[in-house]
Amino acid sequence: MKSLSFYIHNLYQNQQWLDFILYLGLGLILTLSLMSVVALVLVYAERKIAAHFQCRLGPMRVGWHGTLQTVADALKLLLKEDLIPKAADRFLFALAPFLTVMAALLSLSVLPFSLSATLSNMNIGLLFLSAISGYGVLGILIGGWASNNKWSLLGAMRAGAQLISYELSMTLSLLSIVVLSGSLNLNEIIASQAQGWWIWRAHLVGFISFVIYIISSTAETNRTPFDMAEGESELTAGFHTEYSGMRFAFFFLSEYVNLFIVSAIGSILFLGGWMPLHIGEWESFNALMDFVPGPIWFLLKTGALIFLSMWFRWTFPRLRVDQLMRFEWKFLLPLGLINLFLSSIIALGGFYFFP
Amino acid sequence: MIIYLLFFLVAFFSLLAVSSKSLYHSAIYLMGSLSVTAGLYLILEAEFLAGIQVLVYVGGILVLLVFALMLTQSDILVNDQPTFTKKIMAFGVSTSVFALGVWLLSSLHLHSIILPTASSPAPSIKQLGHAFLSVQKNGYILAFEIISVLLLTVLISAIVIAKKEKA
C-alpha cells in the first residue's frame, strides 16, 4: 500500500531519487501506452458495434475484419497538417487539448487493475478522480473559446453547462457508495465488496445510485443521448470544430479514454472491480471463478459497461437543451439527494445484506 | 527542495494572473497557482485537503469563472481602463491585506518548515467526517454549519434573482 506521499517521503528522508524517477518514468510510459491502446480498441469497438446495430459490417478492409483500421486512422491524423486559425488565441488554443489529455492520463494512473497492479494507490482515490475531471472541463471550455469561432464557443458553453450540472448527480451517486463502504481508497472500496457487490447488496439504494451514475456518466462523456455539445446538425462539431491533426486526435483520444475511465469507476464502485464473481454457497463455482485473474475481471466488467454505453447510443434519441437541464435539476438531483440520505441510514444501521 | 520550487511556482503564477493583459489568460494562470497550492498540501500530507482544493477551486470556481468570461464580450474587458482613484483604492486594499497577512504569520513564530513524518499517518475519511461534526474541543461543527448556511443563502438568492416574474 504505497501512496504518492509515501514516495515523496522517501525522497526527503532516504534521498532515493533514482527509485522515484524510475517509478515515475515507468508509470508514465505504462499509462501512456494503456491510453493509446484503450483509445484504439474503443474506436474500433464503437465502429463495429454501431455497424452491427445497423445491420452493416463496419470496417472490413484493413487487416482481419478491419482490426488495423483505427491504427491507420490514427497514423493519418498524426501526419495531417496542424492548422491554427488566424484570429485564435494561440497559447490557449495549444493548451486546451493538452489539459484534456492530462486529465485523462492522471485519472488512468489511479485505477486499480488488481490489488498489486495499481500504479498509485491513493488514500483519496475517488476524490482525486472527481477532482481531476475538472481539468477536462476546463480544457473543453478553453478550446471552444480560444478557437474564436461561434460554433466552437456555443459547443463549449453547452458542454460546460452540461458537465457542471451532471457532475453534481454523479458525485452524489459516488458519495452514497463512499458512505456505504466508508473509504475513498479505490482498493478499499473494492475490498468492502468481498461479501457482495454494492449494486445489489444495499437493497435498492445501490441499484438506484448505479442507474444515476450510468445516466450522469453518459452525460459526462458527452455521448448520445446527451451529445448536445457536438450536435453535428447544429454546431458542425462543437468545441473542436477548428481543431485538426494531432490536436484533434488529442481531444478524440481523451473522449474515448474518458469513456473507459467512467466505466472503470462504475465497475469499481458497483460491480466489485477486480473481485471475482461469487455466488453464495456454491463452493466449486467460486473456486473456479477465483482462477480468473483480477485484471481480467476488471476489464470484463468495464467492457460490459462500455458496451452498455455504446448500446445507449443507438437506442435513445438526442435530448433538447432545456429537456437535458430539466431532467438533471428537477429529477436526477433530488433523487440523488434522497438516495444519499437513504444510504446513510442503511450504512449507520448496517441494514445491508451480509454486514 | 521541491517545496521551494512549489513556493516559487505559486508566486510566479499569481503574479502572472494579476499582470496578464487578457482576462482569459489570467484565469488560466490562476488555475496554475491553485493547482500548485494543492501540491503544497500534498507535501504536507494533507491529501484530502489537496483533493478538495482541486475539486473546489479548479473544478468549481475556475470553471464558473471561465464560463462567466465566455458570456461577456472580451474586448470590453480588455479595453476597460480603471480610473486613477480606483487604482489607488485597489492598491490600498491589497497592501493592507498583505500587511495583515504578514503580521498574522509573523505573530505565529514560524521559524522553519516542519514536514510531517511517516509515523503520523494521514487521517482516514471516517476521522475527518467525525471531526467535521464533532462538538468537542477539536471539532469543526461551527465552521461547518456557518459555511453551510452561507452556501444555502447564496443558493436561494441566486434562485430568487434568476426567477422569472410571473406575467
Side-chain angles (χ1 to χ4, degrees):
Chain A
M1 294 275 196
K2 287 174 182 177
S3 63
L4 183 70
S5 53
F6 175 86
Y7 280 94
I8 294 175
H9 261 303
N10 263 351
L11 209 63
Y12 271 105
Q13 278 153 8
N14 312 333
Q15 303 289 323
Q16 291 171 330
W17 286 97
L18 195 68
D19 265 24
F20 182 70
I21 290 167
L22 262 181
Y23 186 77
L24 217 61
L26 266 178
L28 199 63
I29 291 168
L30 274 175
T31 324
L32 275 175
S33 44
L34 177 73
M35 193 159 149
S36 34
V37 168
V38 160
L40 285 181
V41 171
L42 285 190
V43 172
Y44 176 72
E46 172 106 283
R47 294 185 64 176
K48 270 295 189 193
I49 289 170
H52 283 280
F53 269 118
Q54 299 168 344
C55 301
R56 291 186 288 121
L57 285 175
M60 286 297 279
R61 297 291 171 87
V62 192
W64 182 77
H65 277 250
T67 35
L68 294 176
Q69 181 70 51
T70 43
V71 180
D73 285 349
L75 270 178
K76 184 207 75 177
L77 267 181
L78 293 185
L79 295 175
K80 260 173 100 169
E81 189 189 353
D82 175 38
L83 289 171
I84 298 181
K86 216 173 187 177
D89 188 319
R90 292 185 73 92
F91 168 60
L92 293 180
F93 192 81
L95 183 74
F98 175 72
L99 271 180
T100 32
V101 167
M102 186 192 82
L105 186 70
L106 283 175
S107 310
L108 268 188
S109 70
V110 293
L111 293 183
F113 287 84
S114 78
L115 190 55
S116 49
T118 311
L119 187 62
S120 172
N121 189 7
M122 284 193 181
N123 277 329
I124 53 155
L126 198 61
L127 181 66
F128 179 83
L129 278 172
S130 42
I132 284 303
S133 70
Y135 288 102
V137 182
L138 262 183
I140 288 176
L141 285 175
I142 293 169
W145 187 83
S147 304
N148 207 353
N149 173 324
K150 292 277 190 302
W151 283 317
S152 302
L153 189 71
L154 279 175
M157 303 251 311
R158 277 190 187 179
Q162 178 179 323
L163 290 180
I164 18 188
S165 311
Y166 278 83
E167 209 172 350
L168 290 173
S169 25
M170 187 162 165
T171 317
L172 280 179
S173 70
L174 296 183
L175 259 181
S176 55
I177 298 301
V178 171
V179 166
L180 285 169
S181 61
S183 175
L184 282 174
N185 184 318
L186 294 176
N187 269 325
E188 278 174 26
I189 291 176
I190 294 173
S192 73
Q193 302 178 62
Q195 305 297 325
W197 302 345
W198 284 121
I199 185 171
W200 61 272
R201 199 171 145 204
H203 302 278
L204 260 179
V205 169
F207 186 71
I208 292 174
S209 59
F210 178 71
V211 172
I212 296 176
Y213 179 78
I214 287 294
I215 294 173
S216 50
S217 69
T218 313
E220 283 287 295
T221 43
N222 272 333
R223 291 179 63 82
T224 331
F226 303 103
D227 63 344
M228 299 300 314
E230 36 194 291
E232 312 90 325
S233 49
E234 306 150 30
L235 295 170
T236 40
F239 64 91
H240 55 64
T241 306
E242 294 288 358
Y243 281 89
S244 60
M246 185 94 163
R247 296 184 211 277
F248 170 73
F250 274 173
F251 274 127
F252 202 59
L253 183 90
S254 52
E255 201 166 295
Y256 279 95
V257 174
N258 279 336
L259 173 63
F260 177 80
I261 290 165
V262 293
S263 305
I265 299 173
S267 80
I268 288 165
L269 290 183
F270 299 101
L271 305 177
W274 38 258
M275 204 70 91
L277 171 69
H278 280 181
I279 298 178
E281 303 289 305
W282 298 12
E283 296 294 339
S284 46
F285 177 80
N286 292 349
L288 196 67
M289 288 291 128
D290 284 337
F291 267 116
V292 183
I296 304 257
W297 275 114
F298 178 75
L299 289 177
L300 271 179
K301 289 167 186 173
T302 309
L305 289 184
I306 291 173
F307 179 74
L308 193 70
S309 179
M310 290 179 175
W311 193 354
F312 280 171
R313 184 167 181 171
W314 303 107
T315 309
F316 300 118
R318 182 183 291 159
L319 267 77
R320 236 172 35 224
V321 180
D322 59 323
Q323 289 171 335
L324 186 103
M325 287 298 163
R326 198 180 331 131
F327 181 63
E328 157 66 16
W329 291 97
K330 294 202 169 161
F331 178 70
L332 225 49
L333 192 64
L335 187 70
L337 281 171
I338 294 169
N339 201 45
L340 181 61
F341 181 67
L342 287 178
S343 74
S344 333
I345 292 177
I346 287 178
L348 266 181
F351 294 141
Y352 43 80
F353 302 124
F354 316 117
Chain B
M1 248 300 275
I2 284 184
I3 205 161
Y4 290 105
L5 182 72
L6 294 184
F7 285 156
F8 170 74
L9 281 176
V10 171
F12 178 69
F13 280 127
S14 311
L15 275 179
L16 277 178
V18 289
S19 61
S20 172
K21 277 269 180 253
S22 152
L23 258 185
Y24 222 92
H25 285 199
S26 296
I28 299 312
Y29 293 131
L30 191 63
M31 177 197 81
S33 163
L34 294 170
S35 313
V36 178
T37 313
L40 280 176
Y41 291 148
L42 263 187
I43 285 191
L44 295 171
E45 288 256 302
E47 282 184 332
F48 185 76
L49 193 60
I52 290 292
Q53 164 89 7
V54 175
L55 185 73
V56 171
Y57 284 98
V58 176
I61 290 178
L62 211 68
V63 166
L64 216 65
L65 203 81
V66 165
F67 209 75
L69 284 180
M70 284 171 109
L71 288 169
T72 54
Q73 261 184 316
S74 48
D75 51 323
I76 295 176
L77 290 169
V78 173
N79 297 328
D80 180 33
Q81 286 297 329
T83 56
F84 185 72
T85 37
K86 265 188 189 170
K87 277 184 187 170
I88 291 287
M89 273 159 69
F91 181 76
V93 167
S94 48
T95 326
S96 48
V97 169
F98 183 72
L100 188 72
V102 169
W103 178 66
L104 278 177
L105 279 177
S106 62
S107 67
L108 282 176
H109 303 293
L110 293 170
H111 294 299
S112 60
I113 302 158
I114 303 160
L115 288 168
T117 51
S119 54
S120 60
S124 71
I125 184 76
K126 210 169 216 167
Q127 286 167 312
L128 279 172
H130 281 300
F132 264 134
L133 295 179
S134 159
V135 287
Q136 308 297 322
K137 198 181 161 211
N138 289 323
Y140 295 93
I141 182 85
L142 187 65
F144 186 81
E145 285 301 323
I146 288 175
I147 291 171
S148 322
V149 170
L150 177 73
L151 286 177
L152 189 68
T153 319
V154 170
L155 200 69
I156 292 174
S157 18
I159 291 172
V160 168
I161 291 171
K163 205 178 169 192
K164 278 180 198 150
E165 296 282 329
K166 268 185 191 147

